[in-house]
């Protein structure tokens, strides 16, 4: 059983890495939902039921955001609803400063995944992942630290591979037109 639990976490990390290499909002959310679901399974077998609940809530959030973006509808109301839900979950499982960190990071990730622009999504997720890294350092979750270092690396690679060429191209366009 222990091997199954660890493999589930490893598969979750792989889905996380893949997600930040995708170019569309739909694909990013698909792999992020798989990531969250796999970690919900792992948390279930570890007996961390608040983690199960939070991750399943994120799966639902991602599905709703994906549907809204696909139908070209606003995600503003779902963002507010899920931020309120994460506030309630955080307060109901209150554990001091760590609960504040979790609420803040869930707010950031909700803002990120509610945004249909993959570039902005990656940038906000970079901040959220930095928050998770800080949280994991505070609570001394070494596996969490490793996961977030890998996540941050995947996000940075995605930004450099997918977003930086676009940003560089736009900057060069504006600098070349301003010289004329």
């Amino acid at each position: 059983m222990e091997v199954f639990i660890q493999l589930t976490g490893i598969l979750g990390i792989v889905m996380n890495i893949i997600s930040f290499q995708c170019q569309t909002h739909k694909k990013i959310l698909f792999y992020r939902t798989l990531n969250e679901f796999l970690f919900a399974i792992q948390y279930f077998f570890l007996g961390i039921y608040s983690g199960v609940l939070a991750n399943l809530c994120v799966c639902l959030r991602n599905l709703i955001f994906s549907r809204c973006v696909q139908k070209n509808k606003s995600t503003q109301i779902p963002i507010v609803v899920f931020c309120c839900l994460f506030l309630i979950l955080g307060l109901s499982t209150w554990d001091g400063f760590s609960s504040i960190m979790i609420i803040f990071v869930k707010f950031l990730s909700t803002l990120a995944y509610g945004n249909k622009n993959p570039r902005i999504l990656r940038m906000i997720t970079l901040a959220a992942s930095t928050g998770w890294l800080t949280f994991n350092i505070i609570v001394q979750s070494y596996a969490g630290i490793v996961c977030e270092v890998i996540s941050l690396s995947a996000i940075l690679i995605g930004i450099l591979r997918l977003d930086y060429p676009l940003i560089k191209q736009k900057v060069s366009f504006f600098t070349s037109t301003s010289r004329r």
Side-chain angles (χ1 to χ4, degrees):
M1 185 58 121
E2 182 67 29
V3 172
F4 172 77
I5 293 170
Q6 297 309 318
L7 282 175
T8 305
I10 291 169
L11 281 173
I13 292 170
V14 170
M15 295 302 114
N16 190 33
I17 292 168
I18 292 170
S19 73
F20 295 112
Q21 304 310 309
C22 296
Q23 292 187 11
T24 66
H25 184 268
K26 183 178 180 178
K27 284 185 181 180
I28 291 170
L29 285 187
F30 173 76
Y31 286 106
R32 289 294 299 156
T33 302
L34 287 176
N35 160 266
E36 298 289 347
F37 187 72
L38 287 165
F39 275 105
I41 292 170
Q42 184 185 49
Y43 289 152
F44 176 78
F45 285 108
L46 291 172
I48 306 170
Y49 301 113
S50 62
V52 173
L53 187 59
N55 280 41
L56 291 176
C57 185
V58 169
C59 289
L60 178 62
R61 177 200 70 189
N62 289 353
L63 292 171
I64 289 172
F65 284 170
S66 185
R67 181 73 49 144
C68 287
V69 169
Q70 185 179 8
K71 292 184 174 190
N72 206 23
K73 295 190 182 235
S74 173
T75 58
Q76 288 181 358
I77 292 173
I79 286 172
V80 171
V81 169
F82 280 102
C83 282
C84 289
L85 185 59
F86 288 126
L87 181 62
I88 291 166
L89 287 173
L91 294 175
S92 67
T93 59
W94 184 257
D95 193 26
F97 181 73
S98 62
S99 295
I100 294 170
M101 284 290 296
I102 290 171
I103 293 167
F104 176 71
V105 174
K106 287 294 185 189
F107 281 5
L108 275 179
S109 67
T110 298
L111 291 173
Y113 296 110
N115 189 305
K116 59 179 131 184
N117 183 323
R119 193 169 0 136
I120 294 171
L121 185 154
R122 276 187 281 276
M123 294 296 184
I124 298 172
T125 305
L126 183 65
S129 192
T130 302
W132 277 121
L133 177 62
T134 304
F135 171 80
N136 287 318
I137 290 169
I138 290 169
V139 299
Q140 298 179 339
S141 169
Y142 302 114
I145 292 168
V146 170
C147 179
E148 288 312 317
V149 167
I150 292 169
S151 293
L152 284 165
S153 300
I155 296 167
L156 288 171
I157 289 168
I159 289 169
L160 291 173
R161 192 173 73 78
L162 302 169
D163 303 331
Y164 179 72
L166 293 173
I167 295 167
K168 187 176 172 185
Q169 183 181 27
K170 287 180 181 179
V171 169
S172 69
F173 171 78
F174 287 115
T175 56
S176 67
T177 27
S178 64
R179 292 185 199 156
R180 293 182 192 173

